[in-house]
Amino acid sequence: MSFFEENQNIFFVGIGGIGMSGLARLCKAKGSAVSGSDASESSTTNELEDEEIEVLIGHGFDNVPEDTELLVYSGAVPEDNPELVFAKENGIPMMTYFEALGEITRDYHLVAISGTHGKTTTTAMLALILETAGMDPTVIVGSKLKEFGGKNVKVGESDLFILEACEYKRNFLSLHPDLLGITNIDLDHLDYFKDKADYDSAFCEFAGQSQEVVWPEDTGDYEGEMGIPGEHNLMNAGLAAHLARRLGAPEDSIATALASYNGAWRRFELKGETMEGALVYDDYAHHPAEIVATLEAAREKYPEERIVVVFQPHQYSRTNALIDDFAQAFENADEVIIPNIYEARDSAEDKESVSVATLVDAISSYHDDVKDGEGLEQTAEYLSDTIQDGDVVFLMGAGDVGKIAEMLLR
């Protein structure tokens, strides 16, 4: 009996998350009755409601339906969440997002993409190559793709399942891939991993439980035509092409898909043009290496234009641990604005360890034009007063910095 046959009624705690929403959509498409909750309303929860998936805003003991056979929860949900407590007290089986994926993918030929940077882009590229080749995979990707109707999931009829696998808390160890591609390994998630050796060991363990592994050194840059700029995307495409060949995709499908792919939601995403004539991009970059790579691509695309970066650090702990690397990451920006630091899983000690002022001072050691934006709204007001025709604004971070685009483009 399959996962979906065994679990006809599933409740998702944290259903608005990018991975959780994709899994909820997949379960619904496979015939399960799906509902869930999230702490706040978002564009994703609204989309789920439009797809006739009930979403409760706010968490409470009364949210979980009586006929729930399985409760799936996001790794970001705390143990004292009332819905988790209710499930424990009432004997309702529970799984994390990755534990559920591990069970589901046992019935598939699983191809996982892992690594510190580029997972989403590489997964999207590989999925589109296989789709172009008519191989009809099932895909869960950590972003929304226009090729998937603006969704983060595609339900296929073949036995291929493509997904990105996150290393945080060693979550990916719930998976047993038939084919694993690793983009790169660059220390991150220092609120969980003790040091580089601890971080590397997680990838080695994951590789050890995979049937076949493609390491970063196994592939080179892709040399064909590309729909998106940047050296890092040539590397991502190189891995995607290599994996596609291992799966039997023809070269013409690889070339067609990579030439036409022009990015995913919050990956070098052009949001629009302001009344002043400035272009506004939104990008998920939240690690120093990602900032460097994105700005190198931006400078490649806009060699003469003034590039203004609004960077919202994600987590006080990450900001403090990598502050020297952040300080040197903005070489290709003409102006840098730090509006705030986005709090996520931070302790009181973490929040005392670093501030916007600390980061501004650190970046100022390497950059002439850096300022405290004093919040998202104040930053948007400053940009409205200062950006000019021909400027390019990049909003960067894994938090809610993208709200500035809405303010600028209203």
Side-chain angles (χ1 to χ4, degrees):
M1 187 177 292
S2 74
F3 174 92
F4 306 107
E5 293 169 328
E6 291 180 357
N7 300 286
Q8 287 290 297
N9 297 282
I10 309 175
F11 188 81
F12 289 81
V13 183
I15 197 169
I18 194 69
M20 288 283 283
S21 59
L23 181 56
R25 284 167 165 144
L26 173 62
C27 291
K28 183 176 185 292
K30 290 294 186 177
S32 298
V34 170
S35 60
S37 64
D38 208 273
S40 59
E41 183 180 352
S42 67
S43 60
T44 301
T45 61
N46 291 335
E47 290 165 3
L48 293 172
E49 290 274 15
D50 291 341
E51 296 163 33
E52 299 183 347
I53 294 176
E54 182 184 11
V55 179
L56 302 168
I57 302 303
H59 299 293
F61 293 100
D62 297 334
N63 285 352
V64 184
E66 291 183 1
D67 59 355
T68 298
E69 296 170 321
L70 176 67
L71 184 144
V72 178
Y73 61 98
S74 161
V77 173
E79 292 184 3
D80 61 354
N81 174 279
E83 291 142 4
L84 268 64
V85 173
F86 178 87
K88 290 175 185 175
E89 291 178 349
N90 289 274
I92 298 173
M94 296 189 297
M95 290 183 183
T96 66
Y97 166 73
F98 273 100
E99 286 171 345
L101 276 176
E103 290 300 313
I104 290 169
T105 55
R106 290 182 188 278
D107 295 329
Y108 289 86
H109 186 89
L110 175 60
V111 182
I113 310 297
S114 192
T116 313
H117 319 297
K119 292 187 291 294
T120 296
T121 297
T122 306
T123 304
M125 287 175 169
L126 176 59
L128 295 175
I129 292 170
L130 300 180
E131 187 71 0
T132 302
M135 298 172 74
D136 200 17
T138 294
V139 183
I140 293 182
V141 62
S143 186
K144 303 172 187 178
L145 299 181
K146 69 177 189 305
E147 293 89 350
F148 293 170
K151 294 183 174 61
N152 50 359
V153 65
K154 184 255 177 190
V155 182
E157 295 299 326
S158 76
D159 69 341
L160 279 175
F161 200 121
I162 315 299
L163 60 78
E164 63 179 273
C166 178
E167 73 275 18
Y168 182 61
K169 290 187 176 180
R170 289 179 160 79
N171 285 323
F172 53 17
L173 296 183
S174 294
L175 306 172
H176 292 78
D178 296 282
L179 177 60
L180 169 63
I182 298 176
T183 58
N184 45 64
I185 303 176
D186 189 9
L187 181 60
D188 197 5
H189 300 299
L190 287 160
D191 60 322
Y192 174 78
F193 292 103
K194 293 180 292 188
D195 50 31
K196 186 67 162 59
D198 187 30
Y199 189 75
D200 291 351
S201 71
F203 284 93
C204 290
E205 187 174 354
F206 189 32
Q209 62 188 45
S210 303
Q211 293 298 311
E212 182 180 1
V213 184
V214 178
W215 295 93
E217 58 268 24
D218 295 336
T219 63
D221 290 356
Y222 181 70
E223 299 301 336
E225 181 183 351
M226 289 280 292
I228 51 176
E231 175 66 27
H232 63 299
N233 282 318
L234 291 174
M235 296 169 62
N236 294 333
L239 176 56
H242 187 90
L243 294 172
R245 294 184 187 107
R246 294 282 185 101
L247 295 168
E251 289 298 325
D252 61 342
S253 296
I254 295 172
T256 298
L258 293 178
S260 62
Y261 175 69
N262 59 10
W265 176 67
R266 298 219 64 220
R267 271 68 177 180
F268 214 100
E269 182 189 11
L270 178 61
K271 302 299 291 187
E273 184 174 335
T274 69
M275 292 179 64
E276 297 81 11
L279 298 177
V280 180
Y281 282 85
D282 190 16
D283 195 273
Y284 191 69
H286 59 283
H287 185 282
E290 294 167 354
I291 295 169
V292 169
T294 298
L295 289 179
E296 285 178 348
R299 186 53 73 193
E300 176 186 324
K301 187 174 181 67
Y302 299 105
E304 303 298 331
E305 288 79 358
R306 191 172 80 102
I307 296 177
V308 180
V309 174
V310 179
F311 172 59
Q312 180 193 58
H314 187 266
Q315 293 187 291
Y316 287 80
S317 57
R318 179 187 281 114
T319 306
N320 183 50
L322 301 176
I323 193 165
D324 291 338
D325 295 321
F326 280 122
Q328 301 175 61
F330 297 93
E331 179 182 355
N332 280 298
D334 294 289
E335 181 178 7
V336 182
I337 305 166
I338 311 295
N340 62 349
I341 298 175
Y342 189 87
E343 179 183 346
R345 306 188 298 267
D346 288 304
S347 66
E349 183 180 356
D350 290 331
K351 287 185 279 188
E352 291 176 359
S353 68
V354 70
S355 66
V356 170
T358 310
L359 182 58
V360 167
D361 286 345
I363 300 172
S364 296
S365 299
Y366 299 90
H367 203 288
D368 293 334
D369 196 351
V370 188
K371 56 179 59 64
D372 181 346
E374 301 180 352
L376 299 184
E377 291 188 3
Q378 290 274 66
T379 298
E381 290 177 10
Y382 169 78
L383 289 170
S384 294
D385 291 339
T386 58
I387 54 177
Q388 302 172 10
D389 182 25
D391 288 351
V392 184
V393 178
F394 272 85
L395 310 175
M396 290 185 172
D400 59 357
V401 67
K403 290 179 179 178
I404 293 177
E406 300 170 13
M407 300 175 196
L408 293 176
L409 299 170
R410 268 201 291 257

